[in-house]
Amino acid sequence: MTTTIQAPDSVLAQILRAKLPDATVTALLVYPTLAADLVPVLEQPPLSPDYVLRELEVRFDDVTVLLWRDGQLQAQCPDVDMDYTPTLVEWLIDGDTAYLTVHGLEVINRIKTLPLMDLESLDPLKEEPCNPL
């Protein structure tokens, strides 16, 4: 009897290809640790339309650029050039990945409708988009 053992990267690629387009998988596999961490997240259902979030954190390339908690803007981006295009964009809602793109390709979108949040608390972003609070 012959047993074939697949490399972990090959198994990961197969799992991801069952859920994502090939181009997205290819872009994601450049970050194998992140890709492996996302496998269980891909199984999570979308947030319900009536979900009330307490915290939203937006990250560019694993750096927090916005933190909103309990209706208040806690922090916003460090110095970021206006033409900067992040490789990874991640939205964490209450600590869980709810939205993620790699090179502009959507990997996860659990936000089918925007959860209830006080959007007026984000108004300061319109005036000075990259000043720490």
Side-chain angles (χ1 to χ4, degrees), residues 9-119:
D9 289 346
S10 175
V11 172
L12 179 58
Q14 286 178 347
I15 292 169
L16 294 172
R17 282 194 174 88
K19 301 195 175 298
L20 299 168
D22 284 341
T24 304
V25 172
T26 300
L28 189 56
L29 286 175
V30 172
Y31 310 94
T33 303
L34 173 65
D37 290 346
L38 290 175
V39 170
V41 179
L42 291 169
E43 299 297 326
Q44 294 180 350
L47 297 169
S48 68
D50 60 346
Y51 182 84
V52 179
L53 65 99
R54 297 202 57 206
E55 182 177 280
L56 169 66
E57 180 178 359
V58 178
R59 294 180 182 176
F60 289 174
D61 299 324
D62 213 26
V63 175
T64 300
V65 294
L66 179 123
L67 179 60
W68 177 94
R69 184 180 302 130
D70 295 325
Q72 299 294 318
L73 197 56
Q74 304 293 313
Q76 64 188 51
C77 63
D79 293 332
V80 176
D81 291 334
M82 293 299 286
D83 62 347
Y84 175 70
T85 303
T87 301
L88 300 168
V89 175
E90 181 178 22
W91 287 34
L92 293 114
I93 292 183
D94 295 330
D96 294 324
T97 300
Y99 179 81
L100 179 79
T101 63
V102 176
H103 294 287
L105 301 169
E106 188 175 280
V107 177
I108 294 171
N109 186 356
R110 297 181 53 225
I111 308 170
K112 299 306 177 188
T113 59
L114 186 62
L116 298 173
M117 78 184 260
D118 176 13
L119 294 176

